């Protein structure tokens, strides 16, 4: 994964085999799928949940099917996600359910709404069905007391996602943060968005649930902005993103009387900063409003050390048929191959630790 050439060839191979429906799922399943996914089904993922729970690390089961286009498939995804909510309600090791809007909605329609274009009657009905699906999941979460995380996606559909999530927050977050939106802090407008959202929740007597992430679509965002000639929505530098991420952690902790936060990061400094702020604000390590979260297959050193120290930690455990989760796997390979990316940092930490142990043996 740390080798750019291998990943580049692998990525083309994955895209090509998906396009041609080549029978290579066994190869994917025994390599990157095994590293980043729990299994093809919820039952298959149970082994992973048990394994993580031994170390007091919880699981967020993520039905990672993407890129679907038909109403039938969207209804199927919705039914699957409802099952994950029910499953979470009976499982002490599953603190949240999660979903992606594009698992249940046509991307082009989300984009059309985002662009403020008038919808035809048919399109309006289709949009209403999306809201109904999302409502059914959030309502189930409310009834079964399972918080629901809703992922953030590309900026050109994100206003639509935000509008639907805000509606759900109004409906279901009166006593407790059941519905969680996500902010991507690689976007330079998101600290302001977060501030406004929290102060509006406060004015309306609501609780506010938020997942903080840096963002997974940076290259795609920059490329599109350049190609279409609009201002790049992404921060100019990594340092700016880091600053915004940590600033958002601070805003959440300073508003913890109404905010619940899921801190989704593999960044050691940001995780450490949250620990410091919790100490400063005298918040318990097991405060149910604060969770640290990492993706399965990444940053075990952060997850396991934090859980060992007594903090609330969860891993996103994606599951689904091999081909359907391939777009997710491609994003993980891209993320892990960058020089400043996580696997470089992890590899250097592992090397350092191996050397330390070798030195001890001498
Ligand atoms: C629990 C969990 C849930 C997640 N949910 C979502 C989600 O809903 N939506 C989503 O988009 N992603 C999501 N992610 C993925 C997340 O966005 C990536 O893990 C993240 O991009 C990697 O950042 P990091 O905080 O782990 O750490 P780091 O490795 O410190 O940061 C890398 C990130 O910094 C940003 N960055 C890198 N270089 C630059 C630069 N030159 N200029 C500006 N910014 C830069 C990019 O976002 C890059 O991915 C989730 C991750 C986790 C752990």
């Amino acid at each position: 994964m740390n080798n750019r050439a291998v990943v580049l060839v692998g990525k083309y191979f994955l895209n090509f085999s998906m396009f041609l429906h080549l029978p290579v799922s066994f190869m994917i399943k025994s390599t990157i799928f095994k590293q980043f996914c729990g299994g093809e089904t919820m039952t298959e993922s149970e082994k992973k949940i048990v394994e993580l729970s031994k170390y007091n690390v919880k699981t967020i089961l993520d039905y990672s099917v993407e890129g679907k286009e038909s109403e039938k498939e969207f209804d199927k995804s919705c039914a699957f996600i409802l099952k994950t909510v029910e499953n979470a309600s009976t499982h002490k090791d599953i603190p949240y359910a999660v979903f992606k809007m594009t698992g249940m909605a046509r991307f082009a329609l989300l984009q059309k709404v985002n662009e403020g274009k008038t919808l035809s009657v048919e399109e309006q009905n289709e949009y209403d069905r999306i809201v109904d699906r999302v409502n059914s999941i959030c309502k189930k979460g409310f009834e079964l007391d399972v918080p629901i995380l809703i992922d953030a996606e590309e900026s050109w559909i994100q206003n639509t996602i935000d509008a639907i999530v805000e509606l759900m927050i109004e409906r279901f977050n009166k006593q407790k943060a059941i519905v969680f939106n996500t902010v991507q802090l690689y976007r330079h407008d998101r600290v302001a968005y977060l501030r406004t959202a929290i102060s509006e929740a406060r004015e309306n007597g609501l609780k506010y649930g938020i997942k903080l992430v840096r963002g997974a679509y940076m290259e795609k965002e920059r490329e599109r902005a350049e190609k279409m000639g609009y201002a790049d929505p992404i921060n100019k530098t990594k340092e700016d993103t880091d600053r915004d991420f940590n600033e958002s952690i601070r805003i959440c902790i300073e508003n913890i009387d109404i905010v619940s936060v899921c801190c989704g990061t593999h960044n050691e400094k940001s995780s450490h900063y949250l620990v410091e702020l919790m100490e400063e604000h005298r918040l318990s390590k097991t405060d149910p409003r604060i969770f640290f979260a990492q993706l399965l297959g990444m940053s075990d050193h952060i997850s396991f050390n934090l859980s060992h120290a007594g903090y609330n930690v969860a891993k996103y455990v994606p599951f689904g048929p091999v081909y359907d989760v391939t777009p997710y796997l491609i994003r993980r390979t891209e993320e892990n191959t960058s020089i400043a990316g996580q696997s470089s940092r992890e590899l250097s930490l592992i090397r350092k630790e191996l050397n330390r142990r070798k030195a001890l043996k001498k």
Side-chain angles (χ1 to χ4, degrees):
M1 295 273 303
N2 210 32
N3 184 316
R4 215 169 225 299
V6 172
V7 171
L8 206 66
V9 172
K11 190 176 129 185
Y12 281 108
F13 169 75
L14 279 181
N15 277 325
F16 188 64
S17 46
M18 264 174 75
F19 182 67
L20 292 179
H21 292 277
L22 296 177
V24 292
S25 64
F26 70 97
M27 277 170 70
I28 302 172
K29 198 165 177 183
S30 57
T31 53
I32 45 172
F33 185 90
K34 197 170 154 194
Q35 172 73 9
F36 293 113
C37 296
E40 292 203 69
T41 61
M42 216 153 49
T43 321
E44 230 181 270
S45 309
E46 187 61 33
K47 245 169 77 184
K48 199 47 94 184
I49 303 177
V50 173
E51 199 182 312
L52 291 169
S53 74
K54 284 187 197 148
Y55 303 93
N56 206 19
V57 172
K58 313 264 184 221
T59 292
I60 305 169
L61 274 182
D62 177 15
Y63 182 60
S64 296
V65 170
E66 296 178 29
K68 298 290 177 196
E69 287 289 316
S70 78
E71 289 288 297
K72 206 172 137 199
E73 285 166 325
F74 297 146
D75 285 337
K76 199 172 142 198
S77 290
C78 181
F80 251 114
I81 292 153
L82 283 167
K83 273 194 202 152
T84 65
V85 180
E86 282 164 13
N87 186 44
S89 73
T90 59
H91 213 307
K92 69 174 177 40
D93 295 313
I94 306 184
Y96 306 97
V98 63
F99 71 91
K100 238 184 196 57
M101 203 65 79
T102 48
M104 276 180 305
R106 202 161 50 83
F107 193 100
L109 183 66
L110 296 175
Q111 186 174 345
K112 191 164 180 182
V113 175
N114 216 88
E115 288 163 354
K117 291 188 180 149
T118 313
L119 302 184
S120 67
V121 176
E122 250 178 35
E123 285 170 335
Q124 185 59 50
N125 289 339
E126 187 184 340
Y127 182 75
D128 293 346
R129 284 196 296 277
I130 299 171
V131 178
D132 285 348
R133 286 186 198 107
V134 176
N135 188 72
S136 69
I137 294 169
C138 297
K139 186 162 171 275
K140 179 74 80 189
F142 175 76
E143 288 163 357
L144 300 179
D145 197 20
V146 175
I148 311 285
L149 307 174
I150 302 171
D151 283 350
E153 304 187 53
E154 289 87 343
S155 62
W156 54 101
I157 57 166
Q158 190 59 40
N159 285 353
T160 317
I161 297 176
D162 288 338
I164 300 175
V165 180
E166 284 158 17
L167 181 66
M168 298 301 139
I169 287 179
E170 258 174 63
R171 285 184 188 166
F172 299 109
N173 284 14
K174 294 201 167 77
Q175 287 105 35
K176 188 180 167 181
I178 289 289
V179 180
F180 282 59
N181 203 359
T182 300
V183 279
Q184 297 155 312
L185 281 315
Y186 64 11
R187 281 183 56 175
H188 49 67
D189 62 349
R190 290 293 98 172
V191 174
Y193 174 86
L194 180 67
R195 273 212 185 90
T196 309
I198 293 176
S199 70
E200 279 176 7
R202 194 176 283 290
E203 275 165 28
N204 296 320
L206 297 168
K207 301 285 188 252
Y208 192 70
I210 192 73
K211 170 159 61 88
L212 305 176
V213 300
R214 280 183 170 74
Y217 308 90
M218 185 174 75
E219 278 151 32
K220 204 171 167 187
E221 291 279 355
R222 290 214 202 279
E223 268 167 32
R224 185 175 190 269
E226 198 187 325
K227 202 166 141 202
M228 297 179 67
Y230 60 86
D232 187 351
I234 307 299
N235 274 317
K236 285 212 161 54
T237 65
K238 170 77 164 67
E239 289 68 35
D240 292 346
T241 299
D242 292 345
R243 178 204 59 215
D244 284 2
F245 192 92
N246 290 355
E247 171 74 358
S248 303
I249 295 179
R250 198 179 56 74
I251 294 170
C252 290
I253 295 300
E254 285 176 355
N255 288 281
I256 201 71
D257 57 319
I258 63 156
V259 171
S260 291
V261 58
C262 175
C263 186
T265 185
H266 307 116
N267 184 295
E268 291 87 1
K269 284 189 184 147
S270 293
S271 305
H272 196 256
Y273 183 55
L274 176 52
V275 165
E276 275 175 8
L277 283 180
M278 286 171 73
E279 281 169 8
E280 205 179 300
H281 288 252
R282 297 178 198 284
L283 294 165
S284 152
K285 289 178 178 178
T286 52
D287 190 311
R289 294 167 298 186
I290 306 167
F291 252 88
F292 295 80
Q294 288 76 43
L295 305 177
L296 183 73
M298 290 178 71
S299 292
D300 285 349
H301 63 296
I302 298 181
S303 312
F304 290 97
N305 278 310
L306 281 169
S307 73
H308 186 68
Y311 292 92
N312 295 325
V313 182
K315 286 278 198 193
Y316 251 46
V317 175
F319 75 97
V322 174
Y323 272 110
D324 290 339
V325 301
T326 301
Y328 173 85
L329 293 173
I330 291 175
R331 277 206 302 284
R332 293 291 77 81
T333 52
E334 281 171 342
E335 186 174 301
N336 279 285
T337 193
S338 68
I339 311 271
Q342 189 54 37
S343 73
S344 292
R345 287 213 298 271
E346 281 184 55
L347 276 176
S348 79
L349 284 171
I350 290 168
R351 282 199 195 103
K352 208 168 137 191
E353 178 61 10
L354 278 175
N355 288 337
R356 189 187 71 85
R357 290 186 192 187
K358 273 186 204 153
L360 280 179
K361 274 189 184 166
K362 275 181 195 161

